[in-house]
Amino acid sequence: MVVQMNAKSSSPGSDFSKGFPIADIPEGQVVSGNVAGEPALLVSQGGELFAIGATCTHYGGALAEGLLVNDTIRCPLHHACFNLRTGQVMWPPAFNDLRAWPVECRDGKAFVGAQPLTSQTAHLTGVDLPATVVIVGGGAAGNAAAETLRREGYQGQITMLSVDRSLPYDRPNLSKDYLAGTAKPEWMPLRSQSFYEEHGIDLRADTRVTKINPAERTLVLSDGTRLGYDALLLATGADPIRPDIPGSDLPHVRMLRTWADCDELIEYAQTAQRCVVIGAGFIGLECAAALRSRGLAVHVVSPAARPLEHVLGAKLGDMIRELHEAHGVVFHLGASVVGIDANQVTLSNHEKLDAELVVVGIGVRPNVALAKDAGLTEDRGVVVDEYLQTSAPRIYAAGDIARWPDPRTRNMLRIEHWVVAERQGVVAARNILGHRQRFDAVPFFWTQQYDLTVRYVGHAERWDREEITGNPLAHDCTVTYWQDGTKLAVATVGRDLESLRAEVGLEGSSP
């Protein structure tokens, strides 16, 4: 596998359609410029030249700062992957292709055609293809699967059933920019209603499935409607855990899972002055940062000794705590909430904290009731094989509910990350169409708190050694997690390119 670092051009304004000196495009590097005014990159990789769009179609990351891997380029922000030859997106979280232009070499220059290459419309037919595919769940995995089915050329009926009242949306943004008030509501939907209509995806929002009959290949909806399927994907996600303490059902005690949850939380935040966040995990801390940006006084309560220590270790835990304290957050660690009333919470150490708003972020439980009732094998999640197929024929599972065999650790994993869910949705869709593709993607997630982002590749439920380079308190470091001499995961702060390299390295460690 060839991996090269990218470099920016000293002439970012060059119009590639007028020709660019080939000698000024080093092997394994990119040159920034434009094609007919559109930002573009000229890429030299493997002795060939490619011209592609310069901006990731997910969050607008600068691909010139990403990584070239064989005939692909990866985004430094959230690790989306694109084909250099065609611009086609290879891996989420991006779903829109890049522009790609033809390149002609003559007289020592590379001339990029003004007209982009046209993508080939796939049209998949075959006697073994399912006539109908039903997807239960409208989150990351479900939406990715529906889009992938069409992208792969599937022409059959697709029905997506979602309990959410909204179109599929950018869930990670709920606890980040949207809650902070810096992301507009119109940015949140992943696609418009017209997109689903134009692609023949029958999206039914606010629809609940109450029963699956694998023998008959039917579903029963809450209104009594029976729906048949030839292939079924379960992507039912997870539900937030509500603590079993007095007062936890009061109206100002909020949990964050859906867009509607977030809008209600924002409404409370507009009048509240003081907030207590229960839990020092990712959701709790991201909410704390967002609510501080709205001017609320925020206290975080957790029985842990450090925030996120169980995921990121002691050094990054201290970094996260210092970051929040610098923004005015007060931590109450080694304590738990034992009672909530209209204006106060009571801690296990008898301390009382004033609060007009309480946010609970103590984790989620996979929503496996449907699968369990249908007799599917379940073990703290729905058990699937390497192809994401459950114990029942023609039924697949992806996202927060799926527990799959990890090829690196040989363990069964269930991971609650957005990008993992999307990538599982892609693989499940391809396998529904008969591709038999193993799910072996390296898990990836990111957390954004204030102006700091931690990126994490791999998965380490436990480790016996941390290897730290750089300075966490300076927000410039890499932390590598090892167990029995095996590298399991890498977290980076301020080192986006290093995160991409670590991802590729872990991919290469698969047996």
Side-chain angles (χ1 to χ4, degrees), residues 309-311 380 403 409 411-415 456 458-463 481 483 488-489:
E309 182 176 8
H310 68 294
V311 179
R380 296 164 296 154
R403 185 173 293 278
T409 63
N411 295 327
M412 297 294 291
L413 300 184
R414 188 186 67 80
I415 295 179
Y456 182 104
H459 183 72
E461 293 186 3
R462 62 187 63 85
W463 58 89
Y481 306 89
Q483 179 70 34
L488 297 180

Side-chain angles (χ1 to χ4, degrees), residues 100-388:
W101 294 271
V103 181
E104 181 183 350
C105 298
R106 62 178 187 273
D107 302 326
K109 291 186 175 183
F111 293 85
V112 177
Q115 292 299 317
L117 298 170
T118 57
S119 59
Q120 300 296 317
T121 301
H123 187 86
L124 190 64
T125 59
V127 294
D128 294 330
L129 293 176
T132 61
V133 177
V134 174
I135 300 168
V136 183
N143 188 75
E147 290 205 27
T148 301
L149 288 169
R150 289 298 185 232
R151 181 181 287 272
E152 294 285 326
Y154 176 65
Q155 303 296 308
Q157 181 179 339
I158 302 174
T159 304
M160 182 158 53
L161 309 172
S162 175
V163 296
D164 208 305
R165 299 194 302 268
S166 303
L167 295 173
Y169 50 86
D170 185 7
R171 193 185 302 275
N173 223 340
L174 292 178
S175 56
K176 301 178 178 73
D177 291 337
Y178 186 76
L179 180 57
T182 56
K184 300 177 182 178
E186 55 265 31
W187 297 353
M188 294 299 289
L190 299 177
R191 300 292 192 187
S192 65
Q193 179 65 44
S194 61
F195 174 89
Y196 298 101
E197 294 170 355
E198 291 167 5
H199 288 79
I201 299 170
D202 181 10
L203 172 58
R204 305 185 193 181
D206 199 17
T207 300
R208 184 174 298 277
V209 178
T210 60
K211 188 174 183 60
I212 301 170
N213 189 324
E216 297 179 359
R217 284 191 236 155
T218 59
L219 306 173
V220 179
L221 308 185
S222 57
D223 63 1
T225 301
R226 296 175 68 86
L227 187 65
Y229 66 85
D230 291 314
L232 175 66
L233 173 63
L234 296 179
T236 48
D239 295 323
I241 298 171
R242 184 178 291 276
D244 184 18
I245 56 178
S248 64
D249 57 349
L250 290 171
H252 71 296
V253 180
R254 312 307 303 175
M255 294 185 292
L256 179 58
R257 183 65 178 176
T258 68
W259 192 351
D261 291 338
C262 196
D263 283 339
E264 292 171 0
L265 177 53
I266 290 170
E267 187 175 348
Y268 274 90
Q270 289 172 343
T271 56
Q273 294 182 329
R274 296 161 296 190
C275 174
V276 169
V277 175
I278 303 176
F282 290 110
I283 294 297
L285 293 173
E286 289 175 0
C287 286
L291 293 171
R292 277 299 297 139
S293 72
R294 287 182 174 269
L296 278 73
V298 177
H299 291 245
V300 175
V301 181
S302 172
R306 294 178 177 87
L308 291 174
E309 182 176 8
H310 68 294
V311 179
L312 300 176
K315 293 295 185 181
L316 291 190
D318 288 340
M319 176 197 74
I320 294 290
R321 177 174 181 172
E322 182 181 88
L323 171 72
H324 280 270
E325 289 179 336
H327 284 82
V329 172
V330 179
F331 283 92
H332 303 264
L333 300 173
S336 57
V337 174
V338 296
I340 305 172
D341 61 29
N343 297 296
Q344 280 188 332
V345 302
T346 302
L347 306 189
S348 54
N349 59 9
H350 306 296
E351 187 177 2
K352 293 185 181 295
L353 304 176
D354 293 333
E356 298 85 27
L357 174 62
V358 178
V359 179
V360 177
I362 58 174
V364 298
R365 291 191 182 96
N367 192 342
V368 299
L370 271 177
K372 188 173 183 179
D373 182 64
L376 305 185
T377 301
E378 185 259 339
D379 176 18
R380 296 164 296 154
V382 179
V383 175
V384 297
D385 63 15
E386 63 266 43
Y387 306 106
L388 302 180

Side-chain angles (χ1 to χ4, degrees), residues 31-44:
V31 176
S32 298
N34 72 86
V35 178
E38 184 171 347
L41 301 177
L42 260 178
V43 184
S44 177

Side-chain angles (χ1 to χ4, degrees), residues 491-505:
T492 61
V493 182
R495 299 183 175 188
D496 296 348
L497 192 60
E498 198 159 325
S499 178
L500 285 170
R501 288 186 178 132
E503 179 181 59
V504 174

Side-chain angles (χ1 to χ4, degrees), residues 6 41 52 63 67-68 71-75 80-82 84:
N6 300 291
L41 301 177
I52 58 170
L63 293 177
L67 194 69
L68 296 174
D71 62 350
T72 68
I73 189 167
R74 303 191 186 193
C75 176
C81 179
F82 302 89
L84 289 173

